[in-house]
Amino acid sequence: MSNKELQINEDIRDREVRVIGPDGSQLGIMSSAEARELAFSKDLDLVKIAPQAKPPVCKVIDYGKFRFEQAKREKEARKNQHVVEIKEVRLSLNIDTHDFETKRNHAIRFLKEGNKVKASIRFRGREMGHPEQGYTIMQKFAESLTEYASVEKSAKLEGRNMLMFLACKPAPKAAAKTAG
């Protein structure tokens, strides 16, 4: 629950609330005015933590400290998450072996970084009459990357473009650790 949704002190207008003390003990059901007075007497704030409950649940806590801890947890969670990007590799219908290997190496680098790869072929002019050649190039590309990636979405012709999505396979480090 974000801090913007939390109601504190005078914002709580419910007739009755269930109150939880600063140590986590149940203080019972009382009017919001009584709960507010109890919180102020301990130099703390009354914060509504479960507004959907009947009656709503409020906790007597130091709101500033609570917000600081919450921001700290969110920052830690953001730091630990990895955003997977989709990197594109454009192939052509008449690609030569060296160009194919270069594109393959780029795809391997993207996959090792933990990103997904979108392989695409753009059909120009009379190339539209030979989509089967595009399928064979995409198949060859996927086969050359089998040890690094698995096909997430197979090759499909959409308009003038043929697209295929590859996702990196889980790292083989886990298998090596269990064997060792």
Side-chain angles (χ1 to χ4, degrees), residues 25-57:
S25 61
Q26 293 275 346
L27 300 179
I29 297 172
M30 56 183 81
S31 72
S32 58
E34 285 178 54
R36 207 174 304 121
E37 288 301 318
L38 179 75
F40 288 154
S41 70
K42 295 183 180 183
D43 242 7
L44 296 170
D45 300 301
L46 184 68
V47 181
K48 189 190 285 189
I49 54 172
Q52 69 281 0
K54 295 286 181 207
V57 180

Side-chain angles (χ1 to χ4, degrees), residues 4-136:
K4 293 162 196 84
E5 296 172 10
L6 293 176
Q7 294 179 346
I8 61 167
N9 299 330
E10 284 78 27
D11 295 342
I12 301 169
R13 303 210 188 286
D14 298 291
R15 193 172 346 136
E16 284 188 329
V17 292
R18 180 179 303 275
V19 183
I20 299 172
D23 55 349
S25 61
Q26 293 275 346
L27 300 179
I29 297 172
M30 56 183 81
S31 72
S32 58
E34 285 178 54
R36 207 174 304 121
E37 288 301 318
L38 179 75
F40 288 154
S41 70
K42 295 183 180 183
D43 242 7
L44 296 170
D45 300 301
L46 184 68
V47 181
K48 189 190 285 189
I49 54 172
Q52 69 281 0
K54 295 286 181 207
V57 180
C58 295
K59 193 169 185 180
V60 178
I61 53 174
D62 182 359
Y63 186 64
K65 185 177 177 184
F66 173 75
R67 271 197 15 227
F68 173 75
E69 295 289 332
Q70 194 175 29
K72 198 167 147 184
R73 280 194 303 272
E74 288 172 4
K75 186 178 177 185
E76 192 67 31
R78 275 196 306 273
K79 188 167 66 171
N80 291 337
Q81 70 183 183
H82 172 72
V83 178
V84 177
E85 293 180 32
I86 297 178
K87 303 283 190 166
E88 185 172 4
V89 175
R90 285 193 171 177
L91 306 167
S92 64
L93 208 56
N94 48 4
I95 193 167
D96 204 13
T97 54
H98 182 70
D99 294 337
F100 184 85
E101 289 300 315
T102 304
K103 300 288 185 176
R104 178 181 174 274
N105 291 336
H106 286 312
I108 289 169
R109 187 184 53 178
F110 295 148
L111 291 164
K112 282 184 177 176
E113 290 171 2
N115 297 315
K116 293 183 180 183
V117 174
K118 172 180 159 183
S120 66
I121 297 177
R122 175 131 193 177
F123 291 89
R124 300 190 316 259
R126 292 184 182 174
E127 293 174 351
M128 281 300 293
H130 304 286
E132 68 282 350
Q133 289 179 354
Y135 283 114
T136 57

